[in-house]
Amino acid sequence: MNDVSGTVPLHSPQHVEVLAALRSGRANSRAALANITGLSPTTVAARVDALIEQGHVVETGPGESRGGRRPRHLMIRGDAGLVGCIDLGVDRASFGLVDFAGELITERHAPLDIAADPRAVLSRALKILLDMVDEAKLAGHTRLRGISVGVPGPVSSATSRVISPSRMPGWNGVSVPELMRREIDLPILVNNDANLMAAGELLDGREPIGNQVLVKVGSGIGCGIVCGGALYTGSNGWAGDISHVVVPGAAAVPCSCGRTGCLDALASGNALVREMQVAGTNVQSVEEMIALAQDSHPLATGLLRNAGVMTGGVLATIVNFFNPERLVLGGVLADSSVFVAGVRATLYAECLPMATDQLSIDVAQFAATGGLRGAGRIFLDQLFSADGVRTSA
Amino acid sequence: MNDVSGTVPLHSPQHVEVLAALRSGRANSRAALANITGLSPTTVAARVDALIEQGHVVETGPGESRGGRRPRHLMIRGDAGLVGCIDLGVDRASFGLVDFAGELITERHAPLDIAADPRAVLSRALKILLDMVDEAKLAGHTRLRGISVGVPGPVSSATSRVISPSRMPGWNGVSVPELMRREIDLPILVNNDANLMAAGELLDGREPIGNQVLVKVGSGIGCGIVCGGALYTGSNGWAGDISHVVVPGAAAVPCSCGRTGCLDALASGNALVREMQVAGTNVQSVEEMIALAQDSHPLATGLLRNAGVMTGGVLATIVNFFNPERLVLGGVLADSSVFVAGVRATLYAECLPMATDQLSIDVAQFAATGGLRGAGRIFLDQLFSADGVRTSA
DNA sequence: CGGAGTTAGTCCAGTATTGCAGGAAGTTAG
DNA sequence: CTAACTTCCTGCAATACTGGACTAACTCCG
């Protein structure tokens, strides 16, 4: 057939348009493509032929008739390559392989302490990922074309460097692409974990929704934004970083940022576990705590609800300001119904009815794989764009 | 020459591209147009010729040489029509005429109580506007092609109706276009006043900045958002409505929305004047109060500073969330340096350094005419777009 | 002042795109 | 089992767009 893109390849300027439409899932036949791109059927046919010729697209047999001739379904060729996805958490990491069609082929979860030396952490992560690739290859899959990494801290959109991350000691100024490329010659992308989760959870639907917010409450608190149907990362890359918003009227708990009363220091998973420990319980993780709350443990329930209320209080301002149509709660704490109820109650109490009556508040659907899916999606979005994957710096 | 667009006309699909580039001010010759549109010089030349033929564009003589042949400057024909702009405030209104080139030709300011019957208010506003048109016509200007109105309350983007406006008693559910079209047969646009001011202040620059926030603090508090270089109004039209965000730890002043401690009830011009009156002073307007503060009146100064601090506290969350590159303060209170200092101080104190060190915090440049300019701009943007001006219902 | 270098704009032949008129392959109704 | 209608896809001639060579107009420097 041929080789599908090397390191920084690009697709012919026009074909991107058709590819993007196909990838969006909103069109899967020549006719539908013509419809949503606005191009003429003739042009679409010509471009699709070229893409098939190049091996990017395949025809997958006839679809259902809608009262006339059956459409000949088209698909992105998934087996053209793999994207390695690494979602680094504070004390564990998730790994996945996404094929070129955007499907998550395999996943793996392993403990990994991010506080260790960045180089060692990335080295270890890369090894795990490459092991997965080896196994997948046995199953007939093709080459790894790039790696997309998520980290629990702010990432500069200009330099791809991690900046002032409160949960990643030793990582300030680190460039993940730079470090990883010392070990492997592939395009590498880094992003904040909440942004990846937003991409995975919110950009997935067939009919994409324009303005949405995803709040990830795990060890820390982060938030990813979708604006106008695309991931929004702000002017410098740290849009959505609400960790250090001061919570009105809360206790003056000291925060890693040097101030007191930050949302992260009060309502994050870490903060809650510490509170449980201070109170004398033997809780080691948020999961344990949520389990306790499900058994009506008074302290755990109270703390979780209160964390929901505090988070909801901050989100109220955001909902008023941003007027999204959908708010999604993700991360470990989203598994706690008490927490979710706290968020919902506070939002409905503190926002004007106007702002909430068209708003849907949901819980993330993909749980532990949302970040991986998002990592794959973002990489592929860039790969299948007019200028290909550029690993900055 | 010919007639430039009737009521709901559209320009030929392609020409919009060139027109938009010209209107943006970032290009004023064929060569520059080719540069920023990405079209070939040949195509641009052809389209410009067509536009000149149609009377939308004129050649305005040679420009400065940049080391080679001089460019032949191009301009949108301003005299092709006028847009009537009405910026309704709580107790006064501004009126302006903007020509098709986007220049504000005339302006007028008059007292007008918005609490009166909507129909009467609009009738009176229209009369003033038409008077201005008559005068302008004597000066050689052409026909009125539409009206763009700003109101101090939320406007639904779907229906163009004013919804739950706390400062506009009797206006809930009112459709300004509908009412005005009973008196005049022209396309009418309505928008929130802060959005218009944002359009006027932030979309004006030669080199447009992507993500900005304008906060208008006058009688009330509102905020307009520019995201990705375009005005952002959210999913329903009320993005930026921060009037009813609860201010942390402030007095429980009752608000028109039925709750207590809203930003609008504490830091708006109205709230401050009332505070001054409660304290026994004889202040009647924010302007008086600002004048007092400039003479170091302790209470006025203190209240203004505190209003700045409270506003800054809310904006801190927004800056963290939205990560804009620029924040602009407008409205009457932006004339008070104490207020501005309060906002600045609080932002720098409550945001992470990361979020503020690339942020510029400015004061609006157009003062009373920002809203009018924005009204004109938004109307023209729609008129010169692929689908023309649609006055929704 | 006159060539070298630059920038702006135009002419022209080749290519991409479109609109439209079919053809292909269905469904539905009688 | 036609006949009428839908929907999907493909020729073909007309049209729009492009890239590159060319002209025009100007600056700069020796």
Side-chain angles (χ1 to χ4, degrees), chain A residues 14 38-43 47 65 67-70:
Chain A
Q14 291 87 354
L39 296 167
S40 77
T42 323
T43 310
R47 290 185 184 176
S65 164
R69 173 172 173 176
R70 283 190 279 207

Side-chain angles (χ1 to χ4, degrees), chain B residues 149-362:
Chain B
V149 185
V151 294
V155 175
S156 159
S157 51
T159 65
S160 286
R161 286 176 192 280
V162 175
I163 304 291
S164 313
S166 51
R167 311 199 156 273
M168 303 168 71
W171 286 73
N172 187 41
V174 164
S175 162
V176 172
E178 201 177 300
L179 285 189
M180 285 198 103
R181 254 212 306 246
R182 293 190 192 164
E183 306 199 23
I184 192 167
D185 184 26
L186 281 177
I188 318 273
L189 253 39
V190 219
N191 260 286
N192 171 268
D193 61 342
N195 287 337
L196 291 189
M197 192 168 205
E201 291 279 345
L202 312 182
L203 261 33
D204 188 76
R206 307 279 108 167
E207 204 55 47
I209 307 186
N211 309 307
Q212 303 177 73
V213 172
L214 176 126
V215 186
K216 181 180 180 185
V217 193
S219 308
I221 292 185
C223 143
I225 306 166
V226 167
C227 179
L231 194 66
Y232 173 83
T233 58
S235 303
N236 308 301
W238 27 84
D241 194 337
I242 55 172
S243 324
H244 303 285
V245 167
V246 179
V247 175
V253 177
C255 176
S256 61
C257 74
R259 295 172 315 172
T260 64
C262 295
L263 185 60
D264 195 81
L266 291 162
S268 67
N270 268 10
L272 295 182
V273 168
R274 201 181 40 226
E275 288 252 22
M276 289 293 284
Q277 290 170 346
V278 166
T281 68
N282 192 22
V283 166
Q284 297 296 328
S285 72
V286 199
E287 286 84 351
E288 281 177 50
M289 188 177 169
I290 294 176
L292 282 179
Q294 275 160 353
D295 287 339
S296 303
H297 185 286
L299 180 60
T301 309
L303 285 175
L304 281 167
R305 171 141 197 123
N306 197 240
V309 168
M310 290 188 287
T311 307
V314 172
L315 292 180
T317 301
I318 288 173
V319 166
N320 279 332
F321 173 78
F322 191 61
N323 183 209
E325 40 206 299
R326 188 155 164 252
L327 182 76
V328 178
L329 300 172
V332 184
L333 264 72
D335 292 337
S336 162
S337 51
V338 192
F339 174 83
V340 173
V343 173
R344 282 214 172 94
T346 310
L347 275 174
Y348 287 118
E350 292 205 3
C351 293
L352 290 180
M354 184 176 83
T356 49
D357 66 357
Q358 309 245 37
L359 174 73
S360 48
I361 306 175
D362 302 325

Side-chain angles (χ1 to χ4, degrees), chain A residues 32-80:
Chain A
L33 282 171
N35 246 317
I36 75 161
T37 59
L39 296 167
S40 77
T42 323
T43 310
V44 170
R47 290 185 184 176
V48 166
D49 287 351
L51 286 168
I52 290 176
E53 183 80 9
Q54 291 166 38
H56 288 294
V57 171
V58 269
E59 219 164 81
T60 59
E64 278 300 287
S65 164
R66 297 189 312 157
R69 173 172 173 176
R70 283 190 279 207
R72 287 150 64 186
H73 274 181
L74 302 168
M75 265 187 59
I76 299 280
R77 273 190 55 174
D79 59 357

